[in-house]
Amino acid sequence: MASKVKQDGKTPPSAATNLIAGGGAGMMEALACHPLDTIKVRMQLSRRSRTAGGPSRGFIRTGVEIVKKETPLALYKGLGAVLTGIVPKMAIRFTSFEAYKQMLADKSTGVVSGKATFLAGLAAGITEAVAVVTPMEVIKIRLQAQHHSMADPLDVPKYRNAAHALYTVVKEEGFGALYRGVSLTALRQGTNQAVNFTAYSYFKEALKRWQPEYDGGNLPSWQTTLIGLVSGAMGPLSNAPIDTIKTRLQRTPAEPGSSAWSRIAKISGDMFKQEGFHAFYKGITPRVMRVAPGQAVTFTVYEYIRERLEKSDFSFTGGKYEE
């Protein structure tokens, strides 16, 4: 018998609500957690292998080196690209998730099963990856990968900002370069959101079952933050190798005559031979530290803004389903 998410009879939020609530949540998440993403990318791009007697390069040491050599502002490299794409990304994520849930809901009862929630999250993650996330991450990673000092005006980087990086990449490598690694990004985002939304929905339902006074309404913010934190940590732990390979693929221009899948195979093989299996999990600590609180912030702010919009005259309703 298929598991079901509890029915609460709430009307799905409209696209306008998702645009405002999701965009606001995404901006707060990016501002709070971007430095950890920069550290994660630097760790994933590091080619250093563990040699006998050599010190390990953890996320704290990586962060300290960035600050010492490139100033604290360097931790926010690529933030412009993230902020540019975060509003459409979050709007697409939540709007498509709600739409897919309606499509997958039981036609006779309107109930959304756990399997339907998982598939809706998977489809929403793939949708956002193709529409927004892949080009945004290509530009973000190019900016984050630059080891220049922001305090030295003579240390001129190749990419000055997100707009300049976008122009340069398209000019030198063609528009298709913005979609380098799209298959891996779609796989990562899809699995992330499938696990994230499914876990969040079940945790939310469990808390409402134990606290009937919140049935049909929102949980306290601290509870939303807690379950967002736990559910947010599950995705990165399940797909870390995908994210590391994707980062290395997007870091460099395409090689003439080689397909995307041949490059993925080459990157994977080289990583394993030169750096060992642990290389696939480089940056996992800052990634979990970034994604988990990021999802906690996202869900908390999203639920808060959504509730305020639904109580105002600016709210428009979507379809009808029960979850």
Side-chain angles (χ1 to χ4, degrees), residues 184 236-246 271 277 280-281 287:
L184 292 177
L237 292 172
S238 68
N239 58 24
I242 297 171
D243 189 58
T244 303
I245 296 168
K246 176 201 71 68
M271 283 175 62
F277 182 75
F280 292 94
Y281 285 86
R287 186 174 174 222

Side-chain angles (χ1 to χ4, degrees), residues 22-88:
M27 289 180 68
M28 289 297 295
E29 182 241 1
L31 291 170
C33 304
H34 190 77
L36 288 167
D37 187 69
T38 299
I39 295 171
K40 179 211 73 169
V41 167
R42 288 292 181 86
M43 290 179 70
Q44 289 177 331
L45 293 175
S46 172
R47 305 275 178 178
R48 298 180 187 176
S49 59
R50 290 184 181 174
T51 56
S56 60
R57 191 182 185 189
F59 75 95
I60 294 178
R61 185 179 173 195
T62 301
V64 169
E65 286 183 1
I66 293 173
V67 171
K68 284 173 61 178
K69 297 177 181 177
E70 306 171 47
T71 80
L73 286 176
L75 293 172
Y76 284 90
K77 285 179 179 178
L79 180 62
V82 174
L83 290 178
T84 300
I86 203 72
V87 173

Side-chain angles (χ1 to χ4, degrees), residues 21 40 83 193 223 301:
K40 179 211 73 169
L83 290 178
Q193 300 317 317
Q223 293 185 15
V301 176

Side-chain angles (χ1 to χ4, degrees), residues 94-118:
F94 285 103
T95 303
S96 62
F97 176 66
E98 301 294 350
Y100 291 132
K101 275 207 299 187
Q102 291 188 63
M103 290 169 55
L104 295 167
D106 187 281
K107 302 304 179 185
S108 57
T109 64
V111 172
V112 181
S113 68
K115 179 181 178 181
T117 301
F118 182 88

Side-chain angles (χ1 to χ4, degrees), residues 158-306:
K158 179 176 181 178
Y159 307 116
R160 295 191 296 271
N161 50 48
H164 181 252
L166 175 64
Y167 172 79
T168 305
V169 169
V170 173
K171 180 182 178 182
E172 294 181 354
E173 304 171 44
F175 184 79
L178 296 176
Y179 279 88
R180 186 160 301 129
V182 64
S183 56
L184 292 177
T185 304
L187 184 59
R188 185 201 65 180
Q189 292 300 111
T191 52
N192 265 352
Q193 300 317 317
V195 172
N196 192 20
F197 276 116
T198 304
Y200 180 80
S201 296
Y202 275 107
F203 289 146
K204 183 177 179 181
E205 159 55 18
L207 288 174
K208 286 189 174 183
R209 192 164 56 244
W210 293 332
Q211 304 167 105
E213 64 270 26
Y214 296 117
D215 196 23
N218 284 345
L219 293 168
S221 293
W222 71 268
Q223 293 185 15
T224 302
T225 300
L226 179 62
I227 61 176
L229 185 72
V230 176
S231 62
M234 293 181 175
L237 292 172
S238 68
N239 58 24
I242 297 171
D243 189 58
T244 303
I245 296 168
K246 176 201 71 68
T247 298
R248 295 203 178 188
L249 181 68
Q250 293 176 327
R251 165 67 179 87
T252 55
E255 298 173 0
S258 64
S259 67
W261 287 108
S262 65
R263 291 191 66 211
I264 290 170
K266 184 177 185 299
I267 289 171
S268 304
D270 289 345
M271 283 175 62
F272 185 76
K273 287 188 293 184
Q274 298 172 15
E275 304 168 61
F277 182 75
H278 78 277
F280 292 94
Y281 285 86
K282 281 186 175 180
I284 185 62
T285 301
R287 186 174 174 222
V288 170
M289 289 181 65
R290 184 242 183 277
V291 174
Q295 290 303 315
V297 170
T298 297
F299 278 119
T300 303
V301 176
Y302 174 80
E303 297 277 15
Y304 177 82
I305 297 177
R306 173 182 167 180

